[in-house]
Amino acid sequence: MNGGPSGFNNAPVTRGIIVASALFTVFFGLQGRSNKLGFSYLDIFQKPLLWKIIVSTYAFTSTPEMMFGLYLLYYFRVFERQIGSNKYTVFILFSLMVSFFLGSGTLALFKDPSALITSGPYGLIFSSFVPFFFDIPVSTRFRVFGFHFSDKSFIYLAGLQLLLSSWKRSILPGICGIIAGSLYRLNICYIRRAKLPDFIASLFSRVSWPSTGSPPPATGIRSVPSTTSYAGRQVERNYPSPVVGSVGPSDESIATLVSMGFDQDSARQALVQARNDVNVATNILLEAQSH
């Protein structure tokens, strides 16, 4: 199972989060200060250290946690492609803030100076499991030694490994993240309609490095209006016009788009127009949703 086309095409915010998380983790790891990350009751309510709270939002405390965490963040870029970078930024801010306040409230409730919440974007990662559970369909099922698995099982296993990586220190932010994701899905205070100003939402796109998964420029492409409606909208862009008599979309390409949350009929039609290019078909569907 994958999160759609490889690389960070149409996922600049995810790329920024992953780069920041990796840099902070490596920087503090090389200095031997990873064990000082995370935050406790003292760090929040008695001797607040703003830099520590900010860094602890991104940096993992160990290499195994970073590997599993960045893998999950990379996979969950599919949600940025679904709802767009602007709303995905809102989702990130909401998840991190709600999970932080829930974790802080728990520390305040027990007032245990030794209690510590582990460092890393656990709130974002585990809030993403909520739409992953409800919105990403299973495309493959199989059995191993009599046990039933699906292509989604590997993502759940990676999440379980991360959740239990630091035991109580990681379980609490994981649970807070799941609660934050559930509140977002319930559309508390109409949060799913919220959008940031365009100049803020486009900030990641302007400062990030070029995408490694962007489709190469096609030759012989002319601007044609799309006569097919996707999700009830029409889109006009510089995409190749479908070739009469060409081979139909492959089941694998359709499954890739379906795994990103698009319905099967729209995915098939987009692939026909894109001449079976999954990257171009993804752009067609995303632009149809944004209009």
Side-chain angles (χ1 to χ4, degrees):
M1 185 178 187
N2 56 58
S6 61
F8 293 102
N9 189 34
N10 294 321
V13 176
T14 300
R15 175 175 51 199
I17 294 293
I18 288 179
V19 170
S21 180
L23 289 178
F24 278 126
T25 303
V26 172
F27 177 77
F28 281 88
L30 291 176
Q31 291 190 335
R33 300 169 59 187
S34 296
N35 59 342
K36 297 183 179 180
L37 297 178
F39 49 90
S40 63
Y41 175 80
L42 298 177
D43 295 326
I44 299 175
F45 298 101
Q46 294 188 5
K47 298 179 180 180
L49 299 173
L50 183 59
W51 72 266
K52 187 176 182 180
I53 294 175
I54 294 176
V55 172
S56 297
T57 303
Y58 292 96
F60 293 97
T61 56
S62 67
T63 301
E65 290 179 15
M66 181 183 71
M67 293 176 61
F68 282 102
L70 295 187
Y71 167 73
L72 290 170
L73 287 172
Y74 179 74
Y75 176 83
F76 290 142
R77 73 196 188 285
V78 63
F79 300 123
E80 182 177 357
R81 290 171 171 170
Q82 284 184 353
I83 64 178
S85 297
N86 192 310
K87 288 189 176 182
Y88 188 68
T89 303
V90 174
F91 172 76
I92 291 174
L93 295 175
F94 179 84
S95 299
L96 292 177
M97 292 177 62
V98 170
S99 59
F100 172 77
F101 285 121
L102 289 175
S104 301
T106 304
L107 293 176
L109 180 64
F110 292 100
K111 297 183 179 180
D112 184 359
S114 63
L116 184 69
I117 293 180
T118 193
S119 176
Y122 283 75
L124 172 59
I125 292 172
F126 286 95
S127 65
S128 299
F129 272 98
V130 176
F132 175 75
F133 176 80
F134 288 103
D135 300 333
I136 302 298
V138 173
S139 58
T140 305
R141 298 183 184 274
F142 55 93
R143 297 178 60 182
V144 177
F145 300 114
F147 294 96
H148 295 273
F149 294 92
S150 72
D151 52 342
K152 296 177 67 173
S153 300
F154 298 105
I155 305 298
Y156 287 126
L157 290 174
L160 181 63
Q161 171 65 33
L162 187 62
L163 183 68
L164 302 178
S165 58
S166 298
W167 194 228
K168 293 181 181 179
R169 295 173 54 188
S170 55
I171 290 179
L172 176 58
I175 293 176
C176 292
I178 293 174
I179 295 175
S182 301
L183 293 176
Y184 182 87
R185 184 172 184 82
L186 292 173
N187 202 20
I188 299 297
C189 299
Y190 301 101
I191 185 62
R192 298 177 69 174
R193 298 182 183 179
K195 296 185 68 176
L196 296 174
D198 290 337
F199 74 93
I200 296 179
S202 63
L203 181 62
F204 283 95
S205 300
R206 295 177 181 177
V207 301
S208 297
W209 295 287
S211 298
T212 56
S214 300
T219 59
I221 296 178
R222 56 186 180 89
S223 177
V224 293
S226 172
T227 57
T228 308
S229 176
Y230 302 100
R233 303 173 178 87
Q234 290 188 340
V235 185
E236 183 174 350
R237 289 293 186 271
N238 292 330
Y239 293 122
S241 56
V243 178
V244 178
S246 60
V247 180
S250 65
D251 293 338
E252 180 180 358
S253 298
I254 295 175
T256 297
L257 294 177
V258 170
S259 70
M260 295 172 63
F262 302 112
D263 66 85
Q264 189 171 7
D265 291 337
S266 296
R268 184 184 301 276
Q269 293 171 0
L271 284 167
V272 170
Q273 183 183 358
R275 300 180 184 176
N276 296 327
D277 188 317
V278 175
N279 288 330
V280 176
T282 303
N283 292 337
I284 293 174
L285 292 167
L286 288 172
E287 290 180 358
Q289 288 184 341
S290 65
H291 281 67

